[in-house]
Amino acid sequence: MLDGVRILAWGTRDALRLGAALLEHAGAQVAFAQSPSDGFAYDVIVVSSDVSPESDRRVIAALKAAGKHIVCDITATGAHDSRERMGFSDAQIQAISGLMDTTGFAAGEPVRIGVPFAELSAALYACAAIAAAVRVERLHGIAQNIDVTLFGCAASALTTFLPAAFAQRTAARVGNRHPACAPWNAYRTRDGWVLICTSTEDQWRKIKGVAGVPQLDDPRFASLRGRVLDVDALDALIERWTTTLTTDQCSKLCEAIGVAAGPIVPVAGLSGEPNFRLRHAQAAQRIDAQGIDGETYRQVPIFGISRLSNADEPTPASCAAPRAGTDDEARVSSAGPLAGIKVVEIGQYTTAPLVGKHLAALGAQVVKVEPPDGEVARSWTPGQAGTSYFFALNNTDKQTIALDLKQQADKAYLAALLADADVLVENLRPGALAKLGFDRESLGRINPRLIYCSISGFGMASAYPARPAFDTVIQAMGGLMDLTQSRGEPVKVGVSGADILGGQAALFAIVASLAGSARQEGAFVEISMQDVAAWCALFAAGNRAPEGIAVACIDGHVWLESDEGCATDLLAARAKAARCGSLTRAAAVAALARAGVRAVPVARVVELVEDADFLADVLSVARDANGAFWPIVKVPYRLSRTPARVRIVPGAPEVVVGAAARASRFDAIA
């Protein structure tokens, strides 16, 4: 992976510290410094210029101009943002990006996500961009600068909320519910809470059957639309059942009938959570013995990597030594860091599609395999021309094909794709691909040098081999919901936090594998979203953020945070003294500033599409094959000499029929 790469972390942001841990796990040698006094004998220098003193900023600018190192600068906002160099905290970025407005209950205030989501996301994206830049330097001798913004990372996570904003609709906070599925919520049990998530009529019938509550047969609940409309009454009846059981009993019942469910695990209780303890025995023992401190998170790796199969045979290296001066830089810049890499993606919704989107933006050729009727998310609303904005946001720059992997001919076509691919990424249930005939040994025979990345809720070696997992369940079982609370009640991160962070972990692991200086055999990359969520939760629990509160104004809320570390009751008193409740957000921010309290407005997602900074730094436009324009989101990292580009929205998946047609179309793809 990144063995032999020398990295200097020089800055104070959490993203640098988190990134250093990730880069070390990928094999890099990482050192920390408070000043550049050692001559910079490094390949990569990671900085955070917006929270650096002016003297350090001058040195950073000189390093960027010299072009001798890969320099990655992680800042709160971009160079073209009106708030440049304001050094916002993670919570303030959550507020101004719209993230905070998506989290919490409909009748309550916006809630700060209990982990530093923007810093975590920036660390993951920065590491992926660094790995891409290392690959470019090794292949072409080109060093370049990378800029990553917390604001861009936070805004790019809004893929489930931006579609409504594009349609000029306001998406309300939904707490632990799903806006289009029911029952889907956190329910009280005899000894705690359980998350139950249903997404099909079959799952609804099974839940109704095991619950044994006669009122669930009411005609109001006969359709999904009816259940969503009467969700308050429905949830009360479901909770009538769950409160007769322990959380463990309820979870096991749901697992037995194939319904996603799980407990809301306290972060301090992760060491006793069966799957966490199975996968991370040493970390669990450390927590039992010492509790959670600032370094505990480092005991939980967010990806595992091993040989693809026992049948692997050495093959030529995929990443040669630098060839400085032998490449046309304009051609390299246009092609992207991953030019020449072929990726097959088998996934849906968020995780694997997010990985494929970024690999394609970095220049890889990505072929997305969809079921015969296309990915379900294509038909979600809102959208245009029969395709949802959500699907477009997550699947730019891919070639899409439809295969029925239950048919032998379609399996043969997939095998042909994989034979010449560099990467396979999928987020099917563990074992699903193997049942179709594509287990690790088979993949090793098809392509001994394939990087196969599997993303799942609980991992391949799991205490829950039959338990389905949705983002909400993983948030609950990974400690995220315990840390994110509204008035004492646990609440999920509004965006699909576990899915997104899991996808980012996979992206980094894949790009780092592709950057390896002498990759000679296939690799299996395993991502457990619960591992990633627990890593984030343990960092947050061991590195507490400053206190803050959301305060109501006449047109929304503002987020208050004090440089003096004021307790929330003192912040509330100052907000009351400033009469925030009778002011607009802008007026309240100004009034609080005069009182010595830092405050920022809590932006609504629908407002972002009219925000000049969002339009300049985050939003872009792509076209589809018919020439129609689509709103899309740029990647939140900028590589100065081999930029990542987001350009095209795919059309309907191509249906390939017949062996000859398959072969000719594969030749065209290749």
Side-chain angles (χ1 to χ4, degrees):
M1 300 181 82
L2 300 181
D3 300 73
V5 178
R6 299 161 301 172
I7 297 176
L8 176 70
W10 172 32
T12 59
R13 281 203 171 276
D14 282 345
L16 271 76
R17 183 177 171 192
L18 290 157
L22 294 168
L23 292 163
E24 284 181 338
H25 182 54
Q29 302 170 19
V30 181
F32 290 85
Q34 296 300 318
S35 65
S37 58
D38 54 5
F40 295 112
Y42 298 95
D43 305 299
V44 181
I45 302 170
V46 189
V47 297
S48 51
S49 64
D50 64 334
V51 290
S52 299
E54 187 59 38
S55 58
D56 286 356
R57 289 179 186 174
R58 289 194 292 269
V59 176
I60 292 169
L63 283 168
K64 290 180 177 180
K68 295 181 180 179
H69 305 86
I70 296 169
V71 181
C72 179
D73 194 359
I74 305 174
T75 58
T77 57
H80 303 294
D81 196 293
S82 64
R83 299 159 293 203
E84 182 188 7
R85 293 190 177 182
M86 292 189 70
F88 289 111
S89 68
D90 183 90
Q92 290 169 330
I93 290 293
Q94 288 187 35
I96 65 175
S97 69
L99 266 186
M100 191 178 290
D101 188 55
T102 69
T103 303
F105 296 99
E109 67 279 351
V111 173
R112 176 180 62 181
I113 298 169
V115 299
F117 188 92
E119 298 271 3
L120 288 157
S121 182
L124 286 159
Y125 276 134
C127 288
I130 288 168
V134 167
R135 174 182 167 84
V136 171
E137 197 278 333
R138 282 175 165 169
L139 283 173
H140 309 291
I142 298 173
Q144 59 188 309
N145 300 323
I146 303 166
D147 287 292
V148 181
T149 69
L150 272 65
F151 182 80
C153 292
S156 68
L158 295 168
T159 48
T160 51
F161 288 85
L162 283 173
F166 295 157
Q168 298 182 324
R169 303 176 192 168
T170 298
R173 292 185 293 278
V174 295
N176 295 317
R177 287 172 170 165
H178 190 289
C181 297
W184 183 305
N185 208 344
Y187 302 96
R188 294 185 185 275
T189 65
R190 281 168 44 192
D191 59 353
W193 295 85
V194 66
L195 258 294
I196 298 176
C197 305
T198 65
S199 60
T200 68
E201 289 301 309
D202 183 57
Q203 291 171 353
W204 158 242
R205 286 189 291 270
K206 289 177 178 178
I207 278 290
K208 186 172 63 169
V210 298
V213 178
Q215 291 90 336
L216 291 176
D217 288 319
D218 190 301
R220 290 179 298 165
F221 307 135
S223 69
L224 175 60
R225 184 174 184 274
R227 294 194 295 276
V228 171
L229 286 174
D230 282 305
V231 69
D232 288 338
L234 175 68
D235 280 346
L237 293 170
I238 294 293
E239 197 163 81
R240 183 183 299 180
W241 163 60
T242 60
T243 50
T244 68
L245 304 170
T246 66
T247 300
D248 186 59
Q249 289 172 332
C250 193
S251 299
K252 288 179 177 177
L253 267 175
C254 289
E255 182 175 352
I257 61 175
V259 170
I264 297 178
V265 178
V267 66
L270 279 171
S271 63
E273 200 286 312
N275 198 55
F276 182 91
R277 197 166 193 92
L278 172 70
R279 295 177 60 82
H280 308 291
Q282 289 186 338
Q285 291 167 7
R286 172 177 170 145
I287 294 170
D288 288 341
Q290 305 176 21
I292 299 170
D293 60 31
E295 298 297 308
T296 305
Y297 75 103
R298 295 175 64 90
Q299 304 296 312
V300 180
I302 65 168
F303 65 84
I305 188 162
S306 57
R307 286 172 60 95
L308 175 61
S309 76
N310 292 326
D312 287 346
E313 296 292 339
T315 55
S318 65
C319 194
R323 300 195 302 271
T326 64
D327 291 290
D328 176 9
E329 184 172 335
R331 177 183 60 79
V332 174
S333 174
S334 176
L338 298 185
I341 295 297
K342 296 178 183 178
V343 178
V344 176
E345 173 204 311
I346 307 175
Q348 56 184 347
Y349 305 126
T350 300
T351 46
L354 180 146
V355 178
K357 167 188 172 170
H358 284 273
L359 294 175
L362 289 165
Q365 175 194 358
V366 179
V367 180
K368 179 183 179 70
V369 177
E370 300 185 48
D373 295 331
E375 183 181 326
V376 172
R378 279 182 176 271
S379 61
W380 291 358
T381 57
Q384 59 185 28
T387 298
S388 68
Y389 290 128
F390 174 87
F391 181 87
L393 286 167
N394 283 294
N395 292 283
T396 42
D397 301 293
K398 302 174 187 178
Q399 176 172 347
T400 58
I401 62 172
L403 293 178
D404 182 352
L405 295 179
K406 295 179 181 179
Q407 303 300 319
Q408 193 59 41
D410 293 63
K411 291 181 184 179
Y413 184 58
L414 176 60
L417 280 176
L418 293 172
D420 196 33
D422 297 281
V423 177
L424 166 64
V425 57
E426 54 94 355
N427 66 334
L428 306 177
R429 283 193 187 187
L433 202 58
K435 289 180 181 178
L436 294 170
F438 297 95
D439 59 17
R440 288 169 61 178
E441 295 296 325
S442 299
L443 290 170
R445 288 190 293 270
I446 292 170
N447 184 346
R449 59 188 299 280
L450 181 71
I451 296 171
Y452 166 33
C453 179
S454 170
I455 310 169
S456 64
F458 302 107
M460 291 293 187
S462 169
Y464 315 116
R467 182 175 294 189
F470 287 117
D471 169 86
T472 308
V473 172
I474 299 302
Q475 288 196 39
M477 297 182 67
L480 299 185
M481 284 182 63
D482 177 53
L483 295 175
T484 307
Q485 299 213 357
S486 177
R487 301 180 184 180
E489 187 169 342
V491 62
K492 74 179 187 71
V493 179
V495 298
S496 300
D499 283 346
I500 291 167
L501 293 166
Q504 288 184 257
L507 175 68
F508 170 52
I510 290 170
V511 181
S513 297
L514 292 169
S517 59
R519 184 170 70 86
Q520 296 182 331
E521 60 184 30
F524 175 62
V525 178
E526 183 200 19
I527 304 292
S528 158
M529 294 191 298
Q530 187 191 30
D531 289 354
V532 180
W535 182 77
C536 298
L538 289 169
F539 177 84
N543 299 272
R544 292 289 182 178
E547 294 289 334
I549 56 171
V551 172
C553 300
I554 61 175
D555 62 346
H557 291 78
V558 293
W559 174 258
L560 277 63
E561 211 166 72
S562 174
D563 292 331
E564 303 169 1
C566 295
T568 54
D569 56 351
L570 181 55
L571 289 174
R574 291 187 177 180
K576 184 176 180 180
R579 299 184 176 181
C580 290
S582 63
L583 301 175
T584 65
R585 285 172 290 176
V589 168
L592 289 164
R594 291 191 292 271
V597 179
R598 294 186 68 187
V600 294
V602 177
R604 298 188 182 95
V605 177
V606 72
E607 295 171 338
L608 291 178
V609 295
E610 297 180 356
D611 179 84
D613 294 321
F614 179 81
L615 294 174
D617 291 340
V618 178
L619 196 65
S620 186
V621 176
R623 302 183 87 168
D624 62 21
N626 298 318
F629 289 97
W630 291 79
I632 57 169
V633 172
K634 301 173 187 174
V635 296
Y637 45 87
R638 307 284 189 267
L639 292 95
S640 62
R641 298 175 71 178
T642 59
R645 294 183 172 92
V646 183
R647 292 171 286 194
I648 301 169
V649 171
E654 180 185 9
V655 179
V656 285
V657 181
R662 298 185 197 292
S664 64
R665 287 187 172 90
F666 177 65
D667 290 341
I669 294 171

